[in-house]
Structure formats: structure tokens, C-alpha cells
């Protein structure tokens, strides 16, 4: 792999022509979407798509989402545009919903990791739509991070991870959703949420009626065997520090935080990721012990917390935090996706007792 690119960061206005040229030459370009930044290549060019896997260090059995700019483009890469797909596209596209459908022959095997289905999404970000339209090809794009890092929600995160490895990052500041898209499998009789995301379970049920949820999604468990969403078996989004989750409904959250803080050892660096209502319950002395305080937003606006989560986790690594106390959200609406990512980030550490550390 060529690793000595002089990576450029450009706005879509300045960088569109260059991005399109690169994509047509089979190169890889990072671009903003409303969920997270994507690492895009021509989805119909298997050599270009191979570069995505190499650059990210992504396992070959984790398929890519194909980004399109019109329903007509989506119809070209699937075998059948079903009634459910039509209803979802009408209700949620452009937007943070990915549909999994049986794939047509034009989709290279590398994109679908050998599966007979393809994941397709129309992003809502104007820069992404303009890029796809002008390039004139669908763009296969996973999140533009090194595998194992939190997904990038700002151009500078992409830069930190991938500078030197790719020629161009189209930068548009912060992503509005900040968590990856909902992945919905429409290839069976009943729609199944393989990954919760920006479009909620409640919204999908309102349009489709019965919608199931893949085993392991709600409790963040690793799914053994062959999961239906291959990406879900990997431990994504893991910060370097140990994470302790604080239950949202627990009235004693502030006491718990105080207890953790009181067990702080010399050299420990503690981060607190919590809602503004919780910060208000802490004493000045307790706050003083916290090395990095990240207020995610108000419990009244969980979307705000969702959009800040990945940035906060990245910052924890930058600050070399070794203990991250993170407040949970109720698992409804966008809270389901937030908790899915938080539990994955926490891995096995989620309910550790401070006495036993
Ligand atoms: P990422 O692009 O890193 O946000 O991950 C894309 C997600 O979509 C992964 O969890 C994949 O496993 C999932 N995905 C992509 N294509 C398919 C497919 N054909 N069937 C099931 N899941 C898929
Ligand atoms: Mg990813």
C-alpha cells in the first residue's frame, strides 16, 4: 500500500473536482455524511474497494455500505426493490438508514464480503450527495477511522487516523447525527435491525409494523457464531481506558461517581462523560478530582449526547485517561444506538466495582 500521500483537507467547494478525479482513478477519498465520516471508493471497482480494507485494517469479512444519491441508483445494485424498501426510502431517505437487500451482479464480492446481500444508503449530507452525483458512481464507504478506533465525527478525526494513507479528506466540520446509520435487514420475511442508529426502532415500526432486533444488539454482547451483521462481532469503538457505566435511572449516580473518585490512585486520570443534570449534583471537591469532564448534553435532548459520544471517547485517549465514568441513557429512541455503542466501548468492564479494581 502507498502510505506516503500528502493528504489534503478541503471543503467540498474547493475539493469536489479533485475528489471526483481521484475516485474515477480508483483512489479512496474521505467525505462527510450526517452520521460519521466515510472512507469512499467506487463501489463497482473491486480494486478500489480493496484499498479501503487495507487502509483501515478492516477484516475482509466485514462488508461495506454502498452510498447512492437516488432511488434509481439503489435499484441498480439490488435484485428487487421491495415494498418495504420503497416505504423505508420514502420515509427515511436521504437519512441515517441502511437497507440490506439481495444484491445484483454488478456489486463486486469484496463489497458484500461474499454475502448475497448488499447494504445501501442515501446519506442526507449535501456534500456526500454532491460527491456521489458528480462522481456518477455509487460509493462504498465504511467509517473513515482505523479499525478499532471510534468512528470519526469531525474532519480532524479522519486526519488523525488516516493522514499519509489517503490523498484527500473532504472536511465539513462536525457530523449532526454522530453515530452510524441504522442497518435494517430487509432480505427476510420480517425486517430485522442489525445495528441501531440514527433512525430509531420506534420510527421503523411506525412505517413497517413488525420489526425485530438482532440478538446481542440491546445488551452489547458479542454474538457468537455467524452473526447476520458481520460487523457486529467486532469490538468496535474501544477507548484505551477502562470504562464504568453509570445507570441512567439510578438516583445515586452522584454518590457512585464520588465513590469512584474516592478510589482514585495516584497517577490515575479520570474522565466523566455525563449529562448536565448529573454535573449539577456533584460537589466542587468531586469535580476537582475529575481530570476530564465532558458534558454530553441534557437528558431532554439525547440526540445531542449521541452526537458528542465518539468525540468524547477519542478525547479520552488523547488525554491518556485510564478510567472513564460514562452515564447511560434510557434505551429508547436514539438512546438505543447510544447505549449499543457505549456498551461496546465498555466491553467486559462495564459493571466493575471500584473496590475490586
Ligand atoms: P461501517 O461501515 O463500519 O459503519 O459498518 C457497516 C455495517 O453494515 C457493518 O456492521 C456490516 O456488518 C453491516 N453490513 C454491511 N453490509 C451488510 C450485509 N450485506 N449484510 C449484513 N450486514 C451488512
Ligand atoms: Mg465502522
Amino acid at each position: 500500500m502507498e502510505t506516503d500521500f500528502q493528504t489534503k483537507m478541503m471543503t467540498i467547494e474547493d475539493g469536489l473536482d479533485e475528489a471526483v478525479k481521484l475516485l474515477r482513478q480508483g483512489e479512496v477519498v474521505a467525505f462527510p455524511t450526517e452520521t460519521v465520516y466515510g472512507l469512499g471508493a467506487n463501489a463497482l471497482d473491486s480494486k478500489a474497494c480493496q484499498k479501503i480494507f487495507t487502509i483501515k485494517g478492516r477484516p475482509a469479512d466485514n462488508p461495506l455500505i454502498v452510498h447512492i444519491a437516488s432511488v434509481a441508483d439503489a435499484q441498480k445494485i439490488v435484485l428487487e426493490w421491495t415494498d418495504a424498501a420503497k416505504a423505508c426510502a420514502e420515509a427515511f431517505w436521504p437519512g441515517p438508514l441502511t437497507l440490506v437487500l439481495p444484491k445484483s451482479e454488478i456489486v463486486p464480492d469484496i463489497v458484500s464480503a461474499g454475502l448475497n446481500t448488499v447494504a445501501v444508503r442515501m446519506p442526507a449530507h449535501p456534500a456526500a450527495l454532491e460527491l456521489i452525483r458528480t462522481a456518477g458512481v455509487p460509493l462504498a464507504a465504511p467509517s473513515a477511522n482505523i479499525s478499532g478506533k471510534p468512528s470519526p465525527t469531525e474532519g480532524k478525526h479522519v486526519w488523525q487516523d488516516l493522514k499519509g494513507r489517503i490523498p484527500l479528506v473532504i472536511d465539513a466540520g462536525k457530523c449532526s447525527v454522530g453515530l452510524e446509520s441504522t442497518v435494517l435487514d430487509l432480505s427476510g420475511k420480517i425486517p430485522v435491525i442489525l445495528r441501531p442508529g440514527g433512525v430509531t426502532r420506534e420510527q421503523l415500526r411506525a412505517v413497517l409494523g413488525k420489526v425485530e432486533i438482532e440478538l446481542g444488539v440491546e445488551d452489547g454482547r458479542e454474538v457468537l457464531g455467524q452473526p447476520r451483521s458481520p460487523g457486529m462481532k467486532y469490538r468496535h469503538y474501544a477507548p484505551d481506558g477502562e470504562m464504568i457505566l453509570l445507570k441512567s435511572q439510578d438516583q445515586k449516580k452522584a454518590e457512585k461517581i464520588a465513590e469512584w473518585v474516592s478510589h482514585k490512585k495516584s497517577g490515575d486520570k479520570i474522565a466523566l462523560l455525563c449529562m448536565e443534570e448529573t454535573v449539577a449534583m456533584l460537589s466542587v471537591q468531586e469535580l476537582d478530582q475529575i481530570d476530564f469532564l465532558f458534558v454530553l448534553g441534557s437528558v431532554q435532548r439525547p440526540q445531542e449526547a449521541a452526537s458528542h459520544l465518539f468525540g468524547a471517547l477519542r478525547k479520552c485517549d488523547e488525554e491518556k485517561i485510564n478510567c472513564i465514568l460514562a452515564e447511560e441513557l434510557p434505551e429508547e429512541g436514539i438512546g438505543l444506538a447510544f447505549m449499543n455503542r457505549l456498551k461496546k466501548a465498555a466491553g467486559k468492564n462495564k459493571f466493575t466495582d471500584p473496590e475490586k479494581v
Side-chain angles (χ1 to χ4, degrees):
M1 185 186 59
E2 202 174 343
T3 52
D4 54 352
F5 284 111
Q6 290 288 326
T7 308
K8 290 184 192 163
M9 280 262 262
M10 293 170 111
T11 62
I12 189 72
E13 290 78 24
D14 295 340
L16 181 64
D17 290 349
E18 182 153 357
V20 166
K21 193 169 126 214
L22 287 162
L23 289 167
R24 288 194 182 145
Q25 286 169 349
E27 291 297 342
V28 172
V29 171
F31 64 95
T33 83
E34 78 282 22
T35 59
V36 302
Y37 276 74
L39 186 61
N42 177 355
L44 306 179
D45 176 345
S46 47
K47 265 199 187 151
C49 291
Q50 176 57 53
K51 291 185 186 170
I52 295 178
F53 286 89
T54 311
I55 290 165
K56 275 188 65 114
R58 185 175 174 100
D61 63 351
N62 194 358
L64 308 176
I65 294 173
V66 179
H67 295 72
I68 44 81
S70 71
V71 168
D73 289 348
Q75 288 169 334
K76 284 183 203 143
I77 61 166
V78 303
L79 272 189
E80 192 194 344
W81 191 243
T82 61
D83 289 345
K86 189 166 178 272
C88 284
E90 274 169 15
F92 305 111
W93 278 3
L97 177 66
T98 296
L99 304 176
V100 173
L101 289 159
K103 79 178 187 79
S104 79
E105 271 173 18
I106 63 165
V107 180
D109 280 344
I110 188 167
V111 170
S112 61
L115 298 172
N116 58 10
T117 51
V118 64
V120 60
R121 173 169 107 84
M122 190 194 296
H125 199 293
L129 288 171
E130 197 177 356
L131 183 62
I132 301 164
R133 265 191 218 118
T134 316
V137 288
L139 297 183
S143 48
N145 53 295
I146 298 278
S147 278
K149 287 265 182 197
S151 294
T153 51
E154 293 182 46
K156 71 170 185 215
H157 299 157
V158 181
W159 179 263
Q160 286 163 355
D161 276 16
L162 299 180
K163 71 171 173 308
R165 296 189 187 214
I166 57 174
L168 178 60
V169 179
I170 298 292
D171 184 18
K174 280 200 169 89
C175 302
S176 59
V177 176
L179 295 179
E180 302 87 343
S181 61
T182 305
V183 179
L184 183 70
D185 185 357
L186 292 179
S187 67
K189 279 207 181 89
I190 298 169
V192 185
I193 296 173
L194 302 180
R195 174 176 77 183
V199 170
T200 66
R201 167 171 56 176
E202 295 83 347
Q203 287 175 301
L204 289 171
R205 285 193 176 146
V207 170
L208 296 171
K210 193 165 184 196
V211 175
E212 287 180 348
I213 188 148
E214 176 78 331
L215 200 73
V217 163
E218 277 163 303
D219 57 9
R221 238 181 321 138
E222 306 284 306
V223 179
L224 300 173
Q226 188 58 47
R228 263 195 282 189
S229 180
M232 296 304 274
K233 74 181 173 196
Y234 297 106
R235 186 181 175 224
H236 278 173
Y237 333 113
D240 296 334
E242 179 180 16
M243 283 189 77
I244 293 97
L245 305 192
L246 306 161
K247 291 207 179 310
S248 62
Q249 64 277 39
D250 191 344
Q251 293 306 311
K252 298 200 178 111
K253 261 183 314 233
E255 277 173 41
K256 285 238 166 88
I257 294 168
E259 195 187 340
W260 276 97
V261 163
S262 73
H263 282 80
K264 184 176 172 180
K265 298 187 205 84
S266 83
D268 274 359
K269 279 187 97 179
I270 296 188
L272 175 62
L273 275 51
C274 71
M275 311 309 284
E276 59 194 38
E277 290 80 357
T278 304
V279 176
M281 296 193 284
L282 297 173
S283 70
V284 176
Q285 289 81 356
E286 283 152 9
L287 285 171
D288 211 39
Q289 291 296 309
I290 290 160
D291 300 276
F292 174 60
L293 173 65
F294 205 110
V295 183
L296 294 171
S298 163
V299 282
Q300 306 301 323
R301 297 183 300 277
Q303 173 50 55
E304 210 175 295
S307 74
H308 289 137
L309 178 65
F310 285 146
L313 290 177
R314 261 182 193 265
K315 199 85 182 141
C316 286
D317 283 349
E318 270 169 51
E319 303 282 325
K320 307 226 180 317
I321 300 291
N322 55 341
C323 175
I324 304 166
L325 304 171
E327 181 170 347
E328 297 190 351
L329 285 180
E331 293 186 279
E332 58 201 31
I334 191 73
L336 182 66
F338 177 92
M339 285 307 300
N340 172 269
R341 308 308 192 273
L342 198 61
K343 286 173 182 173
K344 274 177 167 278
K348 295 193 186 72
N349 299 324
K350 49 190 162 181
F351 304 116
T352 324
D353 187 327
E355 301 277 2
K356 292 181 188 143
V357 178

